[in-house]
Amino acid sequence: MQQTKTKVLIIGAGTGGYVAAIRCGQLGLETTLVDASDGLGGTCLNVGCIPSKAIIHAASKFETVAKAAAGGTLGITASKPAIDLAQTTAWKDGIVRKLNAGVAGLLKRARVKVINGWATFSDAKTCTVKTAEGDIVITAEHVILATGSEPVELPFLPFGGDVISSTEALSLSAVPNKLVVVGGGYIGLELGIAFRKLGAEVAIVEMADRLLPLYDKALTDPVAKWLETHGVELHLGAKAGSFEKGQLNITTRDGAALKLKADKVLVTVGRRPRTQGWGLENMGVAMAGPFVKIDDRCATSMKNVWAVGDLTGEPMLAHKGSAQGEIVAEIIAGHDKRFDPVTIAAVCFTEPEIVSAGLGPLDVEGRDDVITAVFPLMALGRALAIEAGDDGGFVRVLASKSDHRLLGLQAVGQHVSELSNSFAQMLEMGAVLEDVAGTIHVHPTMGEAFHEASLRALGHAIHI
């Protein structure tokens, strides 16, 4: 059995782990990264953010051609399209492989030692890694836990066969004729909408009374309208049951029993931190419910043991994990850092897209010290020119009445995900409405809606 020591040991090569490893390497810290998956980059790169957006992009392309074949769009006509999902999946896999190789190259340049294997901790600073070449015992001065998360499995709908998680949904070789999605959160809606564009009949079963319950109704109404217009069957306030003989049993809001035919049942009821099977219980770290408890330095209760990403709690977003990983590396190198963001923007890549940063209407309900202003995308030239202005989309600004400080920013509409970084930047910098109003926004772009919403909050919008 091989034994080795390292300054920094990182478990998990997702967006939190590999970023931490690269930054550690840049700072001259001897670093070992252990990961058990087939490809570097974790859930996001391999079976999450990147492949799902590739499939969503392909679905949108297919929908455009289908519209052209069904009578024409923008003066463009085409023959009826067909899709070979196996080829689409292969194209998606090629993107993933390219990014895997890119991460591997970055880690090599940073002189990070990468070990492919499963790590199990016997105490806070010692783990045994099972590899194809044999076991390796690693002792570290610092440990960064970045094990990520995994799909939640329902006991009455275990994964397997035609009951699939988002991971399997991204690797299907053919479009299912009938797809039932259990869970009306962002993952289920993103994939359900994509498969509807690809021609599948889609039904969505959601326990809550409306879709995307974490967002306010004004943001989700355009998505609900798209689903209705495109024939997606919605069962809100409903509970899913067992799947038998090609039919999913559900109980409706009124208590009636229904059977929904399905070739595939996609279960997307959330994700949970990956805390089992690698010896977390032997490390002596405090927990915060299902998550590892950390402070504003991402430090756990055990000295020199750190945790980043989904393992540490909501929001379970890749960009949060990356930011935490970078900060932990710098702290280990002796820098004075804290993880204290003003906001972490979130995006739903639905149809249309939703972006939210900072406070929303539900957070300031009942307060009379907040200005709220909305600018509809139907009044924006760029939106109309790319068919993004007729779906009820808008940009919304929330600001303090007393000093005009921005408190929250939201948008719904096609391509509004591209506004997310501008939203986060303005909130992080403590901008006021006058800062946005005084910034010359490029014409014609979607970002002009942010400018106009801010002008409207100040009482002098130009284009509405």
Side-chain angles (χ1 to χ4, degrees), residues 182-380:
V182 178
Y186 75 95
I187 297 175
L189 287 181
E190 286 182 3
L191 293 176
I193 288 170
F195 278 104
R196 181 68 190 108
K197 288 180 177 181
L198 293 172
E201 294 182 25
V202 177
I204 296 174
V205 180
E206 166 58 43
M207 285 186 65
D209 290 332
R210 63 182 185 84
L211 301 169
L212 295 168
L214 295 180
Y215 295 89
D216 65 88
K217 189 173 181 295
L219 284 176
T220 61
D221 275 349
V223 178
K225 179 183 176 183
W226 189 97
L227 295 171
E228 180 183 356
T229 302
H230 290 78
V232 175
E233 189 178 330
L234 294 180
H235 297 275
L236 302 179
K239 295 181 180 179
S242 60
F243 179 62
E244 301 168 334
K245 298 179 180 180
Q247 293 183 317
L248 177 70
N249 294 298
I250 72 166
T251 304
T252 70
R253 182 183 326 188
D254 300 326
L258 280 183
K259 293 182 182 291
L260 302 180
K261 291 183 179 180
D263 298 303
K264 299 289 181 183
V265 176
L266 171 58
V267 179
T268 58
V269 293
R271 296 183 66 84
R272 62 186 173 202
R274 190 175 283 116
T275 57
Q276 302 297 314
W278 49 272
L280 176 62
E281 64 278 6
N282 300 323
M283 299 184 73
V285 300
M287 303 295 289
F291 303 104
V292 172
K293 185 177 182 180
I294 58 170
D295 63 14
D296 63 356
R297 299 166 70 243
C298 299
T300 72
S301 58
M302 180 62 67
K303 184 179 180 181
N304 290 348
V305 176
W306 318 80
V308 302
D310 290 358
L311 189 63
T312 66
E314 298 289 354
M316 297 168 76
L317 299 171
H319 42 289
K320 181 196 80 171
S322 295
Q324 289 178 319
E326 188 174 352
I327 283 171
V328 169
E330 294 178 355
I331 291 172
I332 293 173
H335 299 191
D336 184 13
K337 290 282 185 174
R338 293 288 187 277
F339 183 70
D340 186 25
V342 172
T343 186
I344 302 174
V347 175
C348 298
F349 290 88
T350 46
E351 187 65 59
E353 296 175 346
I354 297 173
V355 57
S356 180
L359 301 181
L362 300 178
D363 300 309
V364 300
E365 197 170 16
R367 289 174 54 175
D368 59 4
D369 60 340
V370 176
I371 304 169
T372 301
V374 173
F375 185 80
L377 295 184
M378 66 181 298
L380 189 70

Side-chain angles (χ1 to χ4, degrees), residues 1 27 61 82 102 139 171 204 276 330 362 397 424 433 458:
M1 183 179 294
L27 292 165
K61 291 285 188 182
T139 302
S171 296
I204 296 174
Q276 302 297 314
E330 294 178 355
L362 300 178
V397 171
L433 290 169
L458 290 168

Side-chain angles (χ1 to χ4, degrees), residues 6-10 20-32 107 110-113 141-142 144 306 325-335:
T6 186
K7 175 77 172 180
V8 182
L9 170 63
I10 302 172
I22 291 171
R23 189 66 183 123
C24 281
Q26 291 174 341
L27 292 165
L29 302 171
E30 181 191 19
T31 305
T32 300
L107 290 165
R111 298 180 181 177
V112 174
K113 182 179 181 181
E141 183 179 338
H142 292 267
I144 303 176
W306 318 80
E326 188 174 352
I327 283 171
V328 169
E330 294 178 355
I331 291 172
I332 293 173
H335 299 191

